[in-house]
């Protein structure tokens, strides 16, 4: 069986493929209406006051559209966009050069902002609040710092783990928005748009099947669509229809609920632990995945489906999860016997 993991499907760096699929204006951005509306108001108000937009904190699971929205915000504000990420800013000095190069109204996007080292985060405070930075000059005995004024700018921080941010840092963002997983009806619209861009014929039934199994995530929906395009091409099929979707998803090991092999292994592990719970470390060791990957990629969908729950001691299977395991084992046994 061909298999693919959601860690691959959902990898944060979507690769060059993603660029062509990104919506080019806020009007093209599908769903998340409340967030989009709030952004429109904030942008218009800032423009009326002739001020840069307040600092923005965008949170949500990987692949929900944080980077895309930031690009669209820059476009709406007619602002230049500078892109970096938490892990790329190891020292305050890395940030100082960037901040001093900003022009009035520029947007600075820091992806994975929860991964900024503490010293860099604290260095940002003055820049965010008072638009000043202390830049070290000279070394040794002559070492000192000079305070430099910055042009007023907008920091847009994106995070998959808002809870990891300190209250002091979070409090310095004036606008907080959270992206939620998309309902299937919105994913169908996103898939139709992607199919148009990629010039693939996608039937309504196939779009619905894909949308149901894309874990509420546009990035996953788009990747699944590309894999089905490969299959349709190899089969010489003129379009992606329900039959191609069914075969393709089965080949990728993705079931009706959008679960794939690693999800099933997590559920099986928790089922064996019943009536007990398992810590994240134990689950990670059991299935050979990093704890962070489990928390960001697998667990949110299992929690949303109410197959597992978080407790003070760890993770535990719900009654629904247990029933799923029993039914799944029965199917597996029947398949083995036949
Ligand atoms: P994040 O930064 O949250 O990980 P991205 O902004 O990189 O997510 O989005 C991943 C991909 O999903 C983008 O390439 C874009 O094509 C698509 N996408 C995300 N949200 C939407 C949306 N609301 N409408 C259309 N496409 C979207």
């Amino acid at each position: 069986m061909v298999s693919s993991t959601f860690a691959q499907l959902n990898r944060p760096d979507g690769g060059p493929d993603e660029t062509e699929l990104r919506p080019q204006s806020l009007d093209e951005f599908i769903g998340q209406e409340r967030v989009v509306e709030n952004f429109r108001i904030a942008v218009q108000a800032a423009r009326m006051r002739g001020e840069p937009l307040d600092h923005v904190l965008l949170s949500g699971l990987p692949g929900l559209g944080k980077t895309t929205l930031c690009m669209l915000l820059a476009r709406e504000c007619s602002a230049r966009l500078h892109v970096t990420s938490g892990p790329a800013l190891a020292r305050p000095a890395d940030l100082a050069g960037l901040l001093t190069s900003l022009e009035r109204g520029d947007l600075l996007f820091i992806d994975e902002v929860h991964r900024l080292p503490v010293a860099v985060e604290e260095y940002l405070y003055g820049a965010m609040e008072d638009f000043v930075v202390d830049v070290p000059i000279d070394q040794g005995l002559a070492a000192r710092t000079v305070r430099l004024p910055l042009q007023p700018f907008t920091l847009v921080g994106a995070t998959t783990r808002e809870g990891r941010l300190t209250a002091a840092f979070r409090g310095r963002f004036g606008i907080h928005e959270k992206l939620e997983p998309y309902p299937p009806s919105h994913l169908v619209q996103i898939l139709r748009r992607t199919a148009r861009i990629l010039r693939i014929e996608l039937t309504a039934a196939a779009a619905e099947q894909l949308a149901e199994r894309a874990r509420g995530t546009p990035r996953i929906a788009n990747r699944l669509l590309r894999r089905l395009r490969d299959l349709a091409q190899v089969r010489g099929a003129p379009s992606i229809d329900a039959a191609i979707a069914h075969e393709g998803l089965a080949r990728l090991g993705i079931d009706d609920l959008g679960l794939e092999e690693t999800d099933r292994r997590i559920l099986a592990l928790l089922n064996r632990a019943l009536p007990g719970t398992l810590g994240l470390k134990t689950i990670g060791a059991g299935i050979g995945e990093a704890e962070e990957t489990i928390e960001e990629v697998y667990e949110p969908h299992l929690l949303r489906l109410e197959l597992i729950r978080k407790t003070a001691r760890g993770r535990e299977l719900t009654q629904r999860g247990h029933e799923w395991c029993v039914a799944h084992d029965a199917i597996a046994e029947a398949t083995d016997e036949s």
Side-chain angles (χ1 to χ4, degrees):
M1 172 170 291
V2 181
S3 96
S4 160
T5 72
F6 270 101
Q8 286 167 327
L9 287 172
N10 208 5
R11 68 186 204 278
D13 59 327
D17 285 355
E18 271 193 357
T19 318
E20 63 176 315
L21 299 183
R22 281 192 206 283
Q24 299 299 308
S25 75
L26 267 188
D27 292 332
E28 273 185 48
F29 192 85
I30 294 156
Q32 310 287 349
E33 291 89 353
R34 195 188 49 76
V35 176
V36 170
E37 207 39 46
N38 287 346
F39 278 158
R40 284 192 201 281
I41 293 170
V43 169
Q44 197 181 341
R47 189 170 283 154
M48 286 162 84
R49 288 194 300 266
E51 289 172 3
L53 192 67
D54 244 339
H55 302 304
V56 178
L57 181 63
L58 260 178
S59 61
L61 295 171
L64 293 186
K66 298 180 295 299
T67 309
T68 308
L69 261 183
C70 179
M71 290 176 169
L72 298 179
L73 258 188
R75 190 161 290 202
E76 289 289 306
C77 297
S78 314
R80 293 195 316 168
L81 178 65
H82 306 257
V83 177
T84 184
S85 75
L89 298 168
R91 301 161 307 138
D94 297 332
L95 192 59
L98 194 54
L99 290 171
T100 48
S101 73
L102 296 178
E103 288 174 15
R104 186 182 170 81
D106 282 1
L107 250 68
L108 173 62
F109 178 59
I110 305 185
D111 201 8
E112 298 187 73
V113 75
H114 60 277
R115 292 179 64 187
L116 276 178
V118 178
V120 180
E121 175 187 317
E122 287 172 356
Y123 191 76
L124 256 180
Y125 291 171
M128 291 173 78
E129 238 164 26
D130 304 318
F131 299 116
V132 290
V133 275
D134 291 321
V135 179
I137 51 168
D138 291 337
Q139 290 186 333
L141 284 179
R144 60 202 169 97
T145 59
V146 284
R147 179 156 286 198
L148 291 181
L150 299 173
Q151 293 297 325
F153 69 99
T154 300
L155 177 69
V156 182
T159 179
T160 48
R161 310 291 293 275
E162 194 184 346
R164 289 253 187 108
L165 261 58
T166 60
F169 193 25
R170 209 177 315 143
R172 285 173 163 84
F173 291 91
I175 301 173
H176 292 204
E177 292 294 350
K178 182 166 197 263
L179 299 186
E180 297 291 347
Y182 294 65
S185 60
H186 288 167
L187 289 177
V188 164
Q189 289 181 51
I190 290 172
L191 284 161
R192 287 227 184 92
R193 179 180 170 275
T194 304
R196 264 198 313 278
I197 296 170
L198 299 179
R199 296 203 190 85
I200 337 167
E201 199 68 42
L202 175 71
T203 68
E208 271 163 35
Q209 250 191 81
L210 273 178
E212 289 288 346
R213 300 177 190 203
R215 305 166 82 102
T217 309
R219 178 178 290 138
I220 296 177
N222 286 343
R223 286 192 186 285
L224 292 178
L225 185 61
R226 285 181 193 278
R227 299 289 70 77
L228 295 193
R229 174 175 68 164
D230 292 349
L231 185 63
Q233 201 166 350
V234 170
R235 291 272 181 278
S239 66
I240 296 173
D241 57 12
I244 292 279
H246 189 78
E247 182 189 342
L249 290 165
R251 283 182 172 277
L252 293 168
I254 296 166
D255 72 10
D256 301 353
L257 297 175
L259 301 179
E260 60 115 11
E261 192 51 36
T262 306
D263 298 302
R264 291 191 280 273
R265 285 170 57 207
I266 294 173
L267 292 174
L269 210 61
L270 287 170
N271 196 37
R272 279 203 293 280
L274 280 176
T277 57
L278 291 180
L280 211 51
K281 241 195 190 85
T282 315
I283 300 175
I287 62 161
E289 288 279 0
E291 288 170 49
E292 192 148 65
T293 311
I294 297 173
E295 275 190 294
E296 285 188 12
V297 178
Y298 298 104
E299 185 173 87
H301 190 57
L302 295 172
L303 286 166
R304 270 201 315 137
L305 293 173
E306 294 179 5
L307 294 172
I308 67 169
R309 74 169 74 89
K310 278 189 192 179
T311 71
R313 274 162 292 134
R315 275 61 176 168
E316 117 191 325
L317 210 59
T318 59
Q319 181 60 28
R320 188 165 182 233
H322 178 60
E323 284 163 12
W324 185 93
C325 287
V326 171
H328 190 260
D329 281 350
I331 294 168
E333 272 170 31
T335 320
D336 285 349
E337 279 164 21
S338 63

